[in-house]
């Protein structure tokens, strides 16, 4: 890949970070209002700076994901404040023990926002097992049904739980609007099973880690109309930023590395991933 073919014109910012988290920004939770949102002035200037840095790197749009009920008011606030931000709302498998009518009600209200584009993240995480597996499965199945009911795509987090993830998807049904396996770290067989079910596959900075050769092979296989890229910021900063707080601007590193393994220009991959994100989430 030459740097030539990826150079952006002044002000051009076509790339999209399809999955990040913003609740770790300094100042979040220190606001006067409900006490959980980014009302604080520090947070407001942090988010503006973060958006400006992303834009300077060519990343003009971003999709945030929520994991916990206490993030919801803050994210709704940001959706109104930041034009280039959209969001998914869901209950992370780590928090699945909290699933119930109250949480579902909160998500329903959040998902009524015009910039709420998906249900999630939800799914199964058998690596950490922060919630019992049976409750993770209940919350995942319920959120798949919610996505179908609301005619939205679903953002799926799955870790060391491929078999149960596919079983539940088949039992409950993939929402008609589809979805994405986000921050994919699974096997080629899992990526193939996801694509066969109409799902997208999204790669994060993990795919850029030196030891992730197998994952890069999976990324090279995923059909061009099904691939997404993300940072999952503030986690998983790609080299050379390891150890720092990750942010949407650095999705460029993911694009660079994946373009190389796919033997295409970063520009072509970035535009394809952006088109896929626009289509999946119906964002302009
Ligand atoms: Zn996740
Ligand atoms: Zn995430």
């Amino acid at each position: 890949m030459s740097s030539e073919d990826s150079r952006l014109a002044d002000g051009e910012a076509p790339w999209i970070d399809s999955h990040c988290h913003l609740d770790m920004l300094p100042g979040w939770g220190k606001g006067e209002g409900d006490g959980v949102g980014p009302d604080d002035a520090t947070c407001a200037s942090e988010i503006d700076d973060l958006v400006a840095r992303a834009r300077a790197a060519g990343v003009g749009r971003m999709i945030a994901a929520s994991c916990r009920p206490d993030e919801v008011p803050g994210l709704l606030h940001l959706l109104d404040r930041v034009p280039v931000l959209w969001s998914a709302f869901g209950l992370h498998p780590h928090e699945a023990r909290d699933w119930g009518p109250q949480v579902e009600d909160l998500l329903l209200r959040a998902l009524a926002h015009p910039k709420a584009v998906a249900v999630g993240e939800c799914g199964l995480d058998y690596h950490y097992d922060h919630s019992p597996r049976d409750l993770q499965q209940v919350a995942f199945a319920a959120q798949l049904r919610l996505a179908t009911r609301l005619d939205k795509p679903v953002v799926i987090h799955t870790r060391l739980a491929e078999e149960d993830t596919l079983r539940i998807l088949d039992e409950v049904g993939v929402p008609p609007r589809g979805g994405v396996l986000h921050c994919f770290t699974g096997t080629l067989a899992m990526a193939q099973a996801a694509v066969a079910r109409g799902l997208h596959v999204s790669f994060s900075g993990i795919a850029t880690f030196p030891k992730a050769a197998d994952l890069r092979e999976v990324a090279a296989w995923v059909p061009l109309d099904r691939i997404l890229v993300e940072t999952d910021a503030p986690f998983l900063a790609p080299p050379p930023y390891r150890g720092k707080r990750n942010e949407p601007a650095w999705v460029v590193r993911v694009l660079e590395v994946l373009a190389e393994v796919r033997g295409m220009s970063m520009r072509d991959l970035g535009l394809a991933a952006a088109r896929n994100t626009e289509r999946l989430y119906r964002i302009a």
Side-chain angles (χ1 to χ4, degrees):
M1 182 199 65
S2 70
S3 58
E4 195 86 355
D5 63 15
S6 291
R7 198 170 296 153
L8 297 172
D10 247 8
E12 198 189 0
W15 321 137
I16 304 178
D17 181 0
S18 74
H19 185 112
C20 63
H21 300 273
L22 299 173
D23 61 307
M24 313 295 190
L25 288 175
W28 184 290
K30 301 206 181 84
E32 289 296 320
D34 44 34
V36 293
D39 300 335
D40 177 77
T42 318
C43 193
S45 75
E46 281 279 339
I47 185 82
D48 290 346
D49 291 351
L50 175 140
V51 167
R53 285 192 298 272
R55 190 162 186 89
V59 184
R61 289 169 288 174
M62 53 194 76
I63 320 287
S66 79
C67 300
R68 302 182 316 274
D70 67 0
E71 290 174 73
V72 169
L75 252 182
L76 287 171
H77 177 89
L78 278 188
L79 288 183
D80 291 332
R81 190 175 187 284
V82 182
V84 298
L85 179 71
W86 289 260
S87 185
F89 289 97
L91 189 71
H92 194 279
H94 291 348
E95 322 293 331
R97 63 173 78 246
D98 292 338
W99 182 258
Q102 249 184 325
V103 170
E104 183 160 10
D105 206 55
L106 178 80
L107 293 180
L108 268 173
R109 274 179 282 136
L111 287 160
H113 192 286
K115 291 171 81 190
V117 292
V119 174
E121 55 186 289
C122 59
L124 305 174
D125 193 314
Y126 294 174
H127 175 71
Y128 286 108
D129 278 329
H130 285 334
S131 280
R133 292 183 181 184
D134 56 336
L135 297 184
Q136 292 190 39
Q137 295 177 18
V138 167
F140 179 36
Q143 289 176 89
L144 287 174
R145 289 190 200 97
L146 187 64
T148 295
R149 181 146 61 99
L150 298 177
D151 194 32
K152 301 228 187 254
V154 64
V155 180
I156 299 170
H157 171 113
T158 176
R159 193 151 177 215
L160 298 184
E162 298 195 344
E163 208 175 301
D164 281 350
T165 300
L166 293 174
R167 178 179 56 77
I168 291 169
L169 279 168
D170 290 341
E171 282 172 10
V172 179
V174 174
R177 286 275 308 280
V180 58
L181 298 190
H182 104 90
C183 195
F184 190 78
T185 55
T187 59
L188 178 62
M190 182 61 173
Q192 289 172 333
V195 167
R197 286 163 176 77
L199 295 168
H200 294 69
V201 184
S202 179
F203 295 91
S204 70
I206 292 180
T208 71
F209 294 174
K211 285 183 183 158
D214 290 352
L215 186 58
R216 283 188 286 279
E217 271 178 39
V218 179
W221 172 83
V222 172
L224 189 60
D225 63 350
R226 298 293 187 84
I227 195 166
L228 264 52
V229 290
E230 65 174 83
T231 57
D232 211 8
F235 316 108
L236 306 169
Y241 310 111
R242 292 294 289 145
K244 296 197 174 148
R245 189 186 80 199
N246 198 3
E247 60 176 59
W250 297 342
V251 80
V252 171
R253 279 298 298 147
V254 183
L255 280 175
E256 283 171 353
V257 170
L258 295 198
E260 198 172 322
V261 298
R262 295 180 66 101
M264 58 194 297
S265 76
M266 179 191 146
R267 186 177 189 90
D268 287 347
L269 179 61
L271 291 177
R275 265 197 310 274
N276 297 340
T277 309
E278 288 172 349
R279 199 177 57 242
L280 179 64
Y281 294 137
R282 294 188 182 164
I283 60 173

